[in-house]
Amino acid sequence: MSAEAHHAEPGFFRKYLFSTDHKMIAMQYLFTGMIMAVIGGYLAYVFRMQLAYPSQQVPGYGVVSPNEYNSLVTMHGTIMIFWVAMPVLLAAFGNFLIPLMIGCDDMAFPRINRLSYQVFFLSAVVLLASFLVQGGAFGGAWTSYPPLSAKGAYNLTPVGASMWLVAVALEFVAFLLGGINFVVTTMNGRAPGMKMYDIPIVVWMIVLATIMFMFSVGPLIAGAVMLLFDQLLGTGFYDPGRGGDPLLWQHLFWFFGHPEVYVVLLPALGIVAEVVAVFARKKLFGYKTILHTAWAVWVLSFVVWAHHQFVAGIDPRMANVFSITTLLISIPLAEMVFVYIATLYGGSIRLATPMLWALAFMAEFLIGGVTGIFLGASGTDIYFHDTYFVVAHFHYTFVPIAIIAVFAGLTYWYPKMFGRMLNETLGKIHFWGSIITFNVIFIPLFITGTAGDQRRIYSYAQFAEQARPALQHLRVVSTLALLVFIAFQLIFVFNFLWSLRHGQRAEANPWMANTLEWTVPSPPPHGNFADMPTVYRGPYEYATPGRREDFWPQNVPN
Amino acid sequence: MSSPTHAHHPAYVKIWAVLVVLLMVSVLGPLTGIRWLMLLLAFGIAVVKAYLVAKNFMHVNIEQRWIAYLLIVSLALIVVLFAGVAPDVMKHRGLHWENRAAQQAVEAGAHAAGPAHE
Amino acid sequence: MSSKPIATSRSAAGLPTARLVTWWVIASEIFIFGGLLASYVMHRLGHPEWAAQAAHTHTWAGALNTFVLLTSSLFAVLAHKAADSGDGARAARFLRLTALGGTTFLCIKAFEWTHEIEAGFVLSSGGFWSFYYTAAGLHGLHVLAGVIIMLFFAADAARNEELQRVECIGIYWHFVDIIWIFLFPLLYIAR
């Protein structure tokens, strides 16, 4: 796929499974993430069918039992965040883009990079294997709160609970190994001439996100060891009867869990920045503003975590503090979106598929951000907490991040990754089909949530005060929209696979972009650059007055 | 290279000797029988020892300046974590709430240890 | 190694890549130990009754181990000095002495834990003991990892290869030492 046969062609295993080439590792992460996305989507399909048509046969699954329902929602959340969003946004794009965009031949530590993927692969195997053990996969929610998660008698999935913890811990190790590589490579491996403010925004964002991940995950690694000991070795770290405190887990989890949102958000914002500048044919408005707001998000993200715990029994005075910081963090993020809109203003916009996805990201993420205000303020959160309003809000942030921005990035860099162009018509059909159905899935959930529908309920029929038959049609609409959404993804899969062989051949720079990855052939050969590039200017010099072409690649002297 | 570790090696054995003396002082702390003095000695000396090791053995003093900032930011975020969690976990009562299980554990422990315990 | 990528040999940030990565590893380790120790400290302050459990630890064993680690740190930094002057054989000797220090530390630890377990104090004996074994165990794993890596680097250094690694494993070792400098009063002296 990637290596031109300069010397002896490496064997299948050396090339695809034990490669140290950053592009191959990126593809491994990408395809693993996509396979996991199919599994996560299948789980969502099963439990949405259960919610729309309670206790009936689900085609392709069977009747869902209450325990299985818990496992389904838990594993859907876990897989989509830790095994789809993280590997695709951070690891796949990070691995593929960082060395190419900063103009070097590989990661600083290629073998540690390979180890990172191998540990990640192992973590995925452990997680998927937990479906097969006695009691089934973990059913204590993706946040894994004790005492529910600490005692098998409570969560009814004693083996699955521990396997879940081990899998998550392995996954963290994988991203620590990969992440340190990202940071060090970007700091030390830049091409001559590339100063701090010449680094493309997406690389900045991936590195900032990585540092954020490295700093927030440590306490949770310690906390996960403690929870594992509670499960297996009879300690009482989170057992109030024995001097422990279950709130400690919540704090350690969200000290990581909330920055985690920004860990995946920042790369998504970076991808959107690249796409917007290229397809508006205009210099990115306020490069430094974006960076400074990203730093502000970075700092603030470490002081907002307890807004997930307003109803968990934290002190109301602390809840006030965390309400304020939470509302504050929306300011830099809003500013960033304004900067992107300002970039569009006066540009000559080309509505190619990547641009459509980037624009959709801004529109949909805006809804996610605005509904977050209700949950960040502790007063309203007490009502909305644990309703489908939270679910809808969450998906209005995470679907733009992990689906929409990823499609923007994939459709934009596909020619560079595989040397072929995607089909534009299919791309646009897929775009409109996905965006419309996505809104039809989640807008009804805002309504049912506001009406009081609790999440994590297997069947409303068993709770008289929860039944609300008048809302059932909304639950059905949401499920049906999901079915259509999934059907539209088949178009993307077809387009992706068909274009690999039959797409139009991509030249080196089909989008006429400035960043360094577009100066090498598509797909880039082993070692990336035939001659190591030198950088002369920032990455967003589009439509410079007095130049014949409307773009000005970073490595062209004048 | 901007950090000249060559020709910048302080007298390591001397620093080691200082560290060992400090260690002995902190071990002798409990013998005084004065609780606050013992704690002050134990943790004050730990900070001093950590500073000496970081400065002279890890060469933070001649490393690029931002490395020191990186370490300080890391420690500061741990302090933030502590400040955000302690009001709920360290304290056993607050505004409109109390943690009865923890209070009982403390009381039971105090009885078991006898009245001399603080 | 001739197969190293160009990315490894560049140093746009102004310090060698090996040392840069060491510092980032240490920064992320600070958060693992920091989270655990912060949890311990807030529990300890909230539960004065844990002092009765803490009274059963062997201060002399902890003090001896502190001495062993401090001394091994001295050897590590002397290895760095030797590597700086290009004397790989001498650096390897000091690295092996450091590894010996780490091994001694683990032996004393094993001896100490055996006594405590025989006296009936195990991981699940109470809040203090849970934190005691978890924190010291996590630290012990870092000592073990350091010893193993150090022996590999010593073998390289003895052939005058990869001498820049001597300094990096030293920095890591001093960090492990500093963690113990704080664990010692937290687990042994304060009661």
Side-chain angles (χ1 to χ4, degrees), chain B residues 35-75:
Chain B
R35 192 174 154 81
W36 65 266
L37 183 63
M38 168 194 96
L39 290 176
L40 187 74
L41 279 179
F43 290 99
I45 285 178
V47 171
V48 174
K49 278 197 292 190
Y51 173 77
L52 287 177
V53 172
K55 182 183 165 199
N56 296 305
F57 287 3
M58 298 169 92
H59 300 291
V60 175
N61 57 341
I62 51 168
E63 185 59 277
Q64 293 218 347
R65 183 63 63 84
W66 66 267
I67 295 287
Y69 295 151
L70 175 71
L71 300 177
I72 291 168
V73 166
S74 306
L75 291 173

mmCIF file of all heavy atoms in Angstrom, chain B residues 35-75:
data_model
loop_
_atom_site.group_PDB
_atom_site.id
_atom_site.type_symbol
_atom_site.label_atom_id
_atom_site.label_comp_id
_atom_site.label_asym_id
_atom_site.label_seq_id
_atom_site.Cartn_x
_atom_site.Cartn_y
_atom_site.Cartn_z
ATOM 1 N N ARG B 35 4.778 16.052 68.231
ATOM 2 C CA ARG B 35 4.172 15.640 66.975
ATOM 3 C C ARG B 35 4.414 16.638 65.841
ATOM 4 O O ARG B 35 4.834 16.261 64.757
ATOM 5 C CB ARG B 35 2.667 15.436 67.183
ATOM 6 C CG ARG B 35 2.004 14.736 66.031
ATOM 7 C CD ARG B 35 0.551 14.434 66.346
ATOM 8 N NE ARG B 35 -0.218 14.335 65.117
ATOM 9 C CZ ARG B 35 -0.258 13.255 64.359
ATOM 10 N NH1 ARG B 35 0.440 12.191 64.683
ATOM 11 N NH2 ARG B 35 -0.982 13.232 63.263
ATOM 12 N N TRP B 36 4.185 17.931 66.120
ATOM 13 C CA TRP B 36 4.324 18.899 65.026
ATOM 14 C C TRP B 36 5.765 18.994 64.565
ATOM 15 O O TRP B 36 6.048 19.124 63.368
ATOM 16 C CB TRP B 36 3.771 20.263 65.422
ATOM 17 C CG TRP B 36 4.518 20.949 66.544
ATOM 18 C CD1 TRP B 36 4.228 20.919 67.872
ATOM 19 C CD2 TRP B 36 5.696 21.769 66.418
ATOM 20 N NE1 TRP B 36 5.139 21.654 68.592
ATOM 21 C CE2 TRP B 36 6.051 22.189 67.720
ATOM 22 C CE3 TRP B 36 6.477 22.182 65.349
ATOM 23 C CZ2 TRP B 36 7.169 22.997 67.982
ATOM 24 C CZ3 TRP B 36 7.584 22.997 65.601
ATOM 25 C CH2 TRP B 36 7.909 23.397 66.911
ATOM 26 N N LEU B 37 6.702 18.879 65.513
ATOM 27 C CA LEU B 37 8.116 18.960 65.139
ATOM 28 C C LEU B 37 8.505 17.765 64.276
ATOM 29 O O LEU B 37 9.204 17.886 63.264
ATOM 30 C CB LEU B 37 8.975 19.007 66.407
ATOM 31 C CG LEU B 37 10.474 19.173 66.150
ATOM 32 C CD1 LEU B 37 10.753 20.504 65.476
ATOM 33 C CD2 LEU B 37 11.265 19.061 67.451
ATOM 34 N N MET B 38 7.966 16.593 64.670
ATOM 35 C CA MET B 38 8.264 15.380 63.918
ATOM 36 C C MET B 38 7.744 15.497 62.478
ATOM 37 O O MET B 38 8.454 15.182 61.520
ATOM 38 C CB MET B 38 7.624 14.195 64.621
ATOM 39 C CG MET B 38 7.618 12.938 63.815
ATOM 40 S SD MET B 38 6.499 11.744 64.566
ATOM 41 C CE MET B 38 5.021 12.019 63.635
ATOM 42 N N LEU B 39 6.496 15.970 62.338
ATOM 43 C CA LEU B 39 5.918 16.083 60.993
ATOM 44 C C LEU B 39 6.674 17.118 60.170
ATOM 45 O O LEU B 39 6.966 16.908 58.996
ATOM 46 C CB LEU B 39 4.435 16.452 61.093
ATOM 47 C CG LEU B 39 3.549 15.338 61.644
ATOM 48 C CD1 LEU B 39 2.111 15.828 61.790
ATOM 49 C CD2 LEU B 39 3.596 14.099 60.764
ATOM 50 N N LEU B 40 7.001 18.240 60.834
ATOM 51 C CA LEU B 40 7.733 19.293 60.130
ATOM 52 C C LEU B 40 9.075 18.759 59.650
ATOM 53 O O LEU B 40 9.473 18.949 58.493
ATOM 54 C CB LEU B 40 7.927 20.496 61.051
ATOM 55 C CG LEU B 40 8.527 21.724 60.378
ATOM 56 C CD1 LEU B 40 7.487 22.378 59.490
ATOM 57 C CD2 LEU B 40 9.049 22.719 61.401
ATOM 58 N N LEU B 41 9.782 18.045 60.550
ATOM 59 C CA LEU B 41 11.078 17.488 60.171
ATOM 60 C C LEU B 41 10.920 16.507 59.016
ATOM 61 O O LEU B 41 11.628 16.566 58.011
ATOM 62 C CB LEU B 41 11.708 16.778 61.375
ATOM 63 C CG LEU B 41 12.427 17.669 62.385
ATOM 64 C CD1 LEU B 41 12.973 16.833 63.527
ATOM 65 C CD2 LEU B 41 13.573 18.416 61.703
ATOM 66 N N ALA B 42 9.938 15.600 59.161
ATOM 67 C CA ALA B 42 9.789 14.543 58.163
ATOM 68 C C ALA B 42 9.501 15.123 56.785
ATOM 69 O O ALA B 42 10.174 14.783 55.804
ATOM 70 C CB ALA B 42 8.678 13.582 58.579
ATOM 71 N N PHE B 43 8.492 16.004 56.706
ATOM 72 C CA PHE B 43 8.090 16.466 55.370
ATOM 73 C C PHE B 43 8.954 17.619 54.879
ATOM 74 O O PHE B 43 9.220 17.729 53.683
ATOM 75 C CB PHE B 43 6.604 16.826 55.367
ATOM 76 C CG PHE B 43 5.748 15.600 55.483
ATOM 77 C CD1 PHE B 43 5.201 15.224 56.701
ATOM 78 C CD2 PHE B 43 5.546 14.794 54.383
ATOM 79 C CE1 PHE B 43 4.449 14.073 56.812
ATOM 80 C CE2 PHE B 43 4.791 13.641 54.484
ATOM 81 C CZ PHE B 43 4.250 13.278 55.699
ATOM 82 N N GLY B 44 9.399 18.485 55.812
ATOM 83 C CA GLY B 44 10.315 19.550 55.411
ATOM 84 C C GLY B 44 11.583 18.965 54.822
ATOM 85 O O GLY B 44 12.058 19.381 53.756
ATOM 86 N N ILE B 45 12.119 17.955 55.498
ATOM 87 C CA ILE B 45 13.363 17.360 55.006
ATOM 88 C C ILE B 45 13.120 16.630 53.687
ATOM 89 O O ILE B 45 13.967 16.649 52.788
ATOM 90 C CB ILE B 45 13.953 16.439 56.093
ATOM 91 C CG1 ILE B 45 14.582 17.309 57.177
ATOM 92 C CG2 ILE B 45 14.957 15.480 55.505
ATOM 93 C CD1 ILE B 45 15.148 16.554 58.325
ATOM 94 N N ALA B 46 11.937 16.002 53.547
ATOM 95 C CA ALA B 46 11.638 15.330 52.278
ATOM 96 C C ALA B 46 11.672 16.327 51.125
ATOM 97 O O ALA B 46 12.234 16.043 50.060
ATOM 98 C CB ALA B 46 10.272 14.639 52.350
ATOM 99 N N VAL B 47 11.084 17.520 51.359
ATOM 100 C CA VAL B 47 11.082 18.531 50.299
ATOM 101 C C VAL B 47 12.508 18.962 49.978
ATOM 102 O O VAL B 47 12.904 19.068 48.805
ATOM 103 C CB VAL B 47 10.205 19.736 50.711
ATOM 104 C CG1 VAL B 47 10.367 20.878 49.731
ATOM 105 C CG2 VAL B 47 8.754 19.318 50.805
ATOM 106 N N VAL B 48 13.302 19.190 51.033
ATOM 107 C CA VAL B 48 14.686 19.628 50.810
ATOM 108 C C VAL B 48 15.470 18.557 50.052
ATOM 109 O O VAL B 48 16.206 18.847 49.098
ATOM 110 C CB VAL B 48 15.361 19.956 52.161
ATOM 111 C CG1 VAL B 48 16.836 20.255 51.952
ATOM 112 C CG2 VAL B 48 14.669 21.132 52.815
ATOM 113 N N LYS B 49 15.286 17.296 50.469
ATOM 114 C CA LYS B 49 16.001 16.210 49.791
ATOM 115 C C LYS B 49 15.597 16.127 48.319
ATOM 116 O O LYS B 49 16.437 15.976 47.431
ATOM 117 C CB LYS B 49 15.702 14.865 50.488
ATOM 118 C CG LYS B 49 16.554 14.631 51.729
ATOM 119 C CD LYS B 49 16.550 13.166 52.133
ATOM 120 C CE LYS B 49 15.193 12.721 52.637
ATOM 121 N NZ LYS B 49 15.211 11.396 53.253
ATOM 122 N N ALA B 50 14.278 16.217 48.066
ATOM 123 C CA ALA B 50 13.802 16.141 46.682
ATOM 124 C C ALA B 50 14.397 17.279 45.869
ATOM 125 O O ALA B 50 14.819 17.092 44.718
ATOM 126 C CB ALA B 50 12.275 16.197 46.647
ATOM 127 N N TYR B 51 14.472 18.464 46.487
ATOM 128 C CA TYR B 51 15.036 19.619 45.786
ATOM 129 C C TYR B 51 16.503 19.367 45.446
ATOM 130 O O TYR B 51 16.945 19.612 44.320
ATOM 131 C CB TYR B 51 14.885 20.862 46.680
ATOM 132 C CG TYR B 51 15.578 22.084 46.134
ATOM 133 C CD1 TYR B 51 15.015 22.816 45.094
ATOM 134 C CD2 TYR B 51 16.803 22.499 46.645
ATOM 135 C CE1 TYR B 51 15.649 23.932 44.584
ATOM 136 C CE2 TYR B 51 17.449 23.606 46.141
ATOM 137 C CZ TYR B 51 16.877 24.323 45.119
ATOM 138 O OH TYR B 51 17.516 25.419 44.598
ATOM 139 N N LEU B 52 17.245 18.846 46.426
ATOM 140 C CA LEU B 52 18.672 18.612 46.183
ATOM 141 C C LEU B 52 18.881 17.596 45.072
ATOM 142 O O LEU B 52 19.735 17.761 44.197
ATOM 143 C CB LEU B 52 19.352 18.130 47.473
ATOM 144 C CG LEU B 52 19.552 19.193 48.555
ATOM 145 C CD1 LEU B 52 20.157 18.569 49.802
ATOM 146 C CD2 LEU B 52 20.458 20.302 48.028
ATOM 147 N N VAL B 53 18.083 16.504 45.103
ATOM 148 C CA VAL B 53 18.236 15.475 44.072
ATOM 149 C C VAL B 53 17.868 16.035 42.704
ATOM 150 O O VAL B 53 18.586 15.843 41.715
ATOM 151 C CB VAL B 53 17.372 14.238 44.415
ATOM 152 C CG1 VAL B 53 17.368 13.263 43.253
ATOM 153 C CG2 VAL B 53 17.899 13.556 45.662
ATOM 154 N N ALA B 54 16.741 16.755 42.638
ATOM 155 C CA ALA B 54 16.296 17.275 41.346
ATOM 156 C C ALA B 54 17.313 18.268 40.793
ATOM 157 O O ALA B 54 17.644 18.246 39.607
ATOM 158 C CB ALA B 54 14.932 17.949 41.485
ATOM 159 N N LYS B 55 17.836 19.117 41.659
ATOM 160 C CA LYS B 55 18.740 20.158 41.183
ATOM 161 C C LYS B 55 20.095 19.573 40.770
ATOM 162 O O LYS B 55 20.588 19.845 39.681
ATOM 163 C CB LYS B 55 18.937 21.188 42.291
ATOM 164 C CG LYS B 55 19.823 22.350 41.894
ATOM 165 C CD LYS B 55 20.038 23.310 43.055
ATOM 166 C CE LYS B 55 21.193 24.240 42.734
ATOM 167 N NZ LYS B 55 21.737 24.857 43.940
ATOM 168 N N ASN B 56 20.682 18.750 41.655
ATOM 169 C CA ASN B 56 22.067 18.360 41.431
ATOM 170 C C ASN B 56 22.220 17.045 40.675
ATOM 171 O O ASN B 56 23.140 16.893 39.886
ATOM 172 C CB ASN B 56 22.795 18.252 42.776
ATOM 173 C CG ASN B 56 22.875 19.589 43.464
ATOM 174 O OD1 ASN B 56 23.373 20.551 42.888
ATOM 175 N ND2 ASN B 56 22.323 19.655 44.667
ATOM 176 N N PHE B 57 21.325 16.086 40.943
ATOM 177 C CA PHE B 57 21.466 14.791 40.276
ATOM 178 C C PHE B 57 20.732 14.774 38.939
ATOM 179 O O PHE B 57 21.192 14.205 37.961
ATOM 180 C CB PHE B 57 20.928 13.659 41.168
ATOM 181 C CG PHE B 57 21.821 13.331 42.330
ATOM 182 C CD1 PHE B 57 22.973 14.055 42.583
ATOM 183 C CD2 PHE B 57 21.517 12.267 43.176
ATOM 184 C CE1 PHE B 57 23.801 13.752 43.657
ATOM 185 C CE2 PHE B 57 22.337 11.954 44.244
ATOM 186 C CZ PHE B 57 23.470 12.694 44.500
ATOM 187 N N MET B 58 19.535 15.380 38.913
ATOM 188 C CA MET B 58 18.778 15.406 37.653
ATOM 189 C C MET B 58 19.151 16.619 36.817
ATOM 190 O O MET B 58 18.706 16.751 35.690
ATOM 191 C CB MET B 58 17.271 15.409 37.938
ATOM 192 C CG MET B 58 16.784 14.175 38.676
ATOM 193 S SD MET B 58 15.092 14.359 39.274
ATOM 194 C CE MET B 58 14.178 13.686 37.898
ATOM 195 N N HIS B 59 19.939 17.522 37.367
ATOM 196 C CA HIS B 59 20.447 18.690 36.644
ATOM 197 C C HIS B 59 19.342 19.590 36.125
ATOM 198 O O HIS B 59 19.457 20.168 35.039
ATOM 199 C CB HIS B 59 21.349 18.254 35.490
ATOM 200 C CG HIS B 59 22.532 17.473 35.944
ATOM 201 N ND1 HIS B 59 23.546 18.022 36.660
ATOM 202 C CD2 HIS B 59 22.832 16.160 35.807
ATOM 203 C CE1 HIS B 59 24.435 17.094 36.953
ATOM 204 N NE2 HIS B 59 24.017 15.947 36.444
ATOM 205 N N VAL B 60 18.268 19.717 36.904
ATOM 206 C CA VAL B 60 17.206 20.633 36.476
ATOM 207 C C VAL B 60 17.744 22.064 36.416
ATOM 208 O O VAL B 60 17.307 22.872 35.602
ATOM 209 C CB VAL B 60 15.996 20.536 37.439
ATOM 210 C CG1 VAL B 60 14.944 21.563 37.086
ATOM 211 C CG2 VAL B 60 15.400 19.138 37.364
ATOM 212 N N ASN B 61 18.740 22.353 37.252
ATOM 213 C CA ASN B 61 19.245 23.731 37.293
ATOM 214 C C ASN B 61 19.938 24.143 35.995
ATOM 215 O O ASN B 61 19.882 25.299 35.607
ATOM 216 C CB ASN B 61 20.187 23.935 38.484
ATOM 217 C CG ASN B 61 21.351 22.961 38.456
ATOM 218 O OD1 ASN B 61 21.291 21.939 37.775
ATOM 219 N ND2 ASN B 61 22.409 23.266 39.177
ATOM 220 N N ILE B 62 20.600 23.179 35.297
ATOM 221 C CA ILE B 62 21.251 23.579 34.046
ATOM 222 C C ILE B 62 20.482 23.064 32.832
ATOM 223 O O ILE B 62 20.899 23.259 31.704
ATOM 224 C CB ILE B 62 22.711 23.078 33.988
ATOM 225 C CG1 ILE B 62 22.765 21.589 34.307
ATOM 226 C CG2 ILE B 62 23.591 23.878 34.915
ATOM 227 C CD1 ILE B 62 24.095 20.971 34.005
ATOM 228 N N GLU B 63 19.343 22.407 33.081
ATOM 229 C CA GLU B 63 18.479 21.977 31.969
ATOM 230 C C GLU B 63 17.748 23.192 31.429
ATOM 231 O O GLU B 63 17.750 24.256 32.053
ATOM 232 C CB GLU B 63 17.499 20.923 32.521
ATOM 233 C CG GLU B 63 16.588 20.260 31.521
ATOM 234 C CD GLU B 63 17.333 19.542 30.418
ATOM 235 O OE1 GLU B 63 17.720 20.223 29.454
ATOM 236 O OE2 GLU B 63 17.529 18.322 30.517
ATOM 237 N N GLN B 64 17.125 23.042 30.252
ATOM 238 C CA GLN B 64 16.326 24.156 29.728
ATOM 239 C C GLN B 64 15.270 24.559 30.761
ATOM 240 O O GLN B 64 14.694 23.703 31.428
ATOM 241 C CB GLN B 64 15.627 23.703 28.456
ATOM 242 C CG GLN B 64 16.604 23.445 27.354
ATOM 243 C CD GLN B 64 16.078 23.888 26.024
ATOM 244 O OE1 GLN B 64 14.909 24.180 25.867
ATOM 245 N NE2 GLN B 64 16.953 23.968 25.050
ATOM 246 N N ARG B 65 15.026 25.847 30.840
ATOM 247 C CA ARG B 65 14.195 26.379 31.903
ATOM 248 C C ARG B 65 12.785 25.759 31.895
ATOM 249 O O ARG B 65 12.194 25.488 32.930
ATOM 250 C CB ARG B 65 14.107 27.901 31.768
ATOM 251 C CG ARG B 65 13.327 28.594 32.875
ATOM 252 C CD ARG B 65 13.970 28.430 34.247
ATOM 253 N NE ARG B 65 15.277 29.047 34.306
ATOM 254 C CZ ARG B 65 15.484 30.337 34.549
ATOM 255 N NH1 ARG B 65 14.486 31.123 34.747
ATOM 256 N NH2 ARG B 65 16.705 30.813 34.601
ATOM 257 N N TRP B 66 12.241 25.491 30.688
ATOM 258 C CA TRP B 66 10.845 25.050 30.642
ATOM 259 C C TRP B 66 10.651 23.669 31.253
ATOM 260 O O TRP B 66 9.533 23.301 31.613
ATOM 261 C CB TRP B 66 10.285 25.110 29.220
ATOM 262 C CG TRP B 66 10.915 24.162 28.254
ATOM 263 C CD1 TRP B 66 11.960 24.415 27.432
ATOM 264 C CD2 TRP B 66 10.544 22.806 28.019
ATOM 265 N NE1 TRP B 66 12.280 23.309 26.704
ATOM 266 C CE2 TRP B 66 11.428 22.306 27.038
ATOM 267 C CE3 TRP B 66 9.570 21.948 28.547
ATOM 268 C CZ2 TRP B 66 11.349 20.999 26.573
ATOM 269 C CZ3 TRP B 66 9.511 20.649 28.074
ATOM 270 C CH2 TRP B 66 10.385 20.186 27.103
ATOM 271 N N ILE B 67 11.723 22.895 31.398
ATOM 272 C CA ILE B 67 11.593 21.584 32.047
ATOM 273 C C ILE B 67 11.139 21.785 33.499
ATOM 274 O O ILE B 67 10.243 21.102 33.995
ATOM 275 C CB ILE B 67 12.930 20.822 31.998
ATOM 276 C CG1 ILE B 67 13.320 20.499 30.553
ATOM 277 C CG2 ILE B 67 12.848 19.559 32.831
ATOM 278 C CD1 ILE B 67 12.513 19.421 29.913
ATOM 279 N N ALA B 68 11.777 22.773 34.157
ATOM 280 C CA ALA B 68 11.371 23.061 35.536
ATOM 281 C C ALA B 68 9.914 23.494 35.571
ATOM 282 O O ALA B 68 9.144 23.065 36.442
ATOM 283 C CB ALA B 68 12.272 24.144 36.132
ATOM 284 N N TYR B 69 9.515 24.322 34.589
ATOM 285 C CA TYR B 69 8.112 24.763 34.550
ATOM 286 C C TYR B 69 7.182 23.572 34.333
ATOM 287 O O TYR B 69 6.108 23.487 34.929
ATOM 288 C CB TYR B 69 7.899 25.795 33.436
ATOM 289 C CG TYR B 69 8.638 27.090 33.651
ATOM 290 C CD1 TYR B 69 9.070 27.868 32.581
ATOM 291 C CD2 TYR B 69 8.917 27.544 34.938
ATOM 292 C CE1 TYR B 69 9.757 29.051 32.771
ATOM 293 C CE2 TYR B 69 9.610 28.720 35.142
ATOM 294 C CZ TYR B 69 10.019 29.474 34.059
ATOM 295 O OH TYR B 69 10.701 30.638 34.258
ATOM 296 N N LEU B 70 7.605 22.643 33.472
ATOM 297 C CA LEU B 70 6.787 21.457 33.203
ATOM 298 C C LEU B 70 6.538 20.687 34.508
ATOM 299 O O LEU B 70 5.404 20.296 34.815
ATOM 300 C CB LEU B 70 7.499 20.565 32.188
ATOM 301 C CG LEU B 70 6.868 19.222 31.871
ATOM 302 C CD1 LEU B 70 5.604 19.418 31.068
ATOM 303 C CD2 LEU B 70 7.839 18.340 31.094
ATOM 304 N N LEU B 71 7.611 20.518 35.281
ATOM 305 C CA LEU B 71 7.467 19.774 36.536
ATOM 306 C C LEU B 71 6.583 20.546 37.514
ATOM 307 O O LEU B 71 5.734 19.962 38.198
ATOM 308 C CB LEU B 71 8.843 19.514 37.154
ATOM 309 C CG LEU B 71 9.799 18.705 36.267
ATOM 310 C CD1 LEU B 71 11.153 18.553 36.935
ATOM 311 C CD2 LEU B 71 9.220 17.331 35.955
ATOM 312 N N ILE B 72 6.758 21.880 37.544
ATOM 313 C CA ILE B 72 5.961 22.685 38.477
ATOM 314 C C ILE B 72 4.486 22.640 38.090
ATOM 315 O O ILE B 72 3.602 22.489 38.946
ATOM 316 C CB ILE B 72 6.486 24.140 38.510
ATOM 317 C CG1 ILE B 72 7.864 24.160 39.182
ATOM 318 C CG2 ILE B 72 5.528 25.052 39.254
ATOM 319 C CD1 ILE B 72 8.605 25.463 39.024
ATOM 320 N N VAL B 73 4.199 22.739 36.775
ATOM 321 C CA VAL B 73 2.805 22.679 36.331
ATOM 322 C C VAL B 73 2.199 21.320 36.701
ATOM 323 O O VAL B 73 1.049 21.234 37.162
ATOM 324 C CB VAL B 73 2.709 22.924 34.807
ATOM 325 C CG1 VAL B 73 1.349 22.530 34.275
ATOM 326 C CG2 VAL B 73 2.987 24.381 34.486
ATOM 327 N N SER B 74 2.970 20.253 36.532
ATOM 328 C CA SER B 74 2.463 18.925 36.892
ATOM 329 C C SER B 74 2.074 18.879 38.363
ATOM 330 O O SER B 74 0.990 18.411 38.727
ATOM 331 C CB SER B 74 3.526 17.863 36.611
ATOM 332 O OG SER B 74 3.974 17.954 35.292
ATOM 333 N N LEU B 75 2.995 19.371 39.213
ATOM 334 C CA LEU B 75 2.699 19.346 40.648
ATOM 335 C C LEU B 75 1.503 20.243 40.964
ATOM 336 O O LEU B 75 0.648 19.896 41.784
ATOM 337 C CB LEU B 75 3.925 19.804 41.437
ATOM 338 C CG LEU B 75 5.095 18.810 41.377
ATOM 339 C CD1 LEU B 75 6.334 19.401 42.028
ATOM 340 C CD2 LEU B 75 4.716 17.507 42.065
#
